[in-house]
Amino acid sequence: MEIDGDALTDVVKRLRRAEGQIRGIITMLESGRDCADVVTQLAAVSKALDRAGFKIIATGLRQCVTAERDGAEPSLDVARLEKLFLSLA
């Protein structure tokens, strides 16, 4: 499965944001910030990573539907995409 340009840009943007959040969390821990603040930021980065994963899966589903509509063989089957989706849920 290849991720199209727009989806790839969005996923990379989300992952870079998560990368920055993780750096911030590390700084928070090193500076002794309150645990509640750290956990709040961990929840935010977890959500950002989930959204990136869901975007990738949505792109795969769209490619499968398009391939089947055009009579081509999809690069991933729906069962595999479902398994990937459930791994994020």
Side-chain angles (χ1 to χ4, degrees):
M1 174 181 81
E2 290 186 27
I3 302 174
D4 66 36
D6 290 338
L8 178 63
T9 300
D10 187 48
V11 168
V12 169
K13 181 179 168 184
R14 290 174 191 270
L15 292 174
R16 292 209 192 282
R17 186 178 308 129
E19 179 182 36
Q21 288 174 305
I22 290 170
R23 274 193 247 102
I25 292 167
I26 291 168
T27 301
M28 290 172 73
L29 288 169
E30 292 173 341
S31 65
R33 292 281 299 270
D34 181 60
C35 289
D37 294 339
V38 171
V39 170
T40 298
Q41 291 305 310
L42 284 171
V45 75
S46 178
K47 186 176 246 184
L49 292 172
D50 286 346
R51 287 180 187 231
F54 288 132
K55 182 73 169 191
I56 291 169
I57 293 168
T59 299
L61 285 171
R62 190 170 28 259
Q63 288 177 3
C64 283
V65 168
T66 302
E68 287 178 355
R69 183 190 65 208
D70 296 340
E73 186 69 29
S75 58
L76 285 174
D77 65 14
V78 173
R80 175 76 173 131
L81 286 168
E82 182 179 326
K83 187 175 181 179
L84 291 171
F85 176 81
L86 291 173
S87 73
L88 291 174

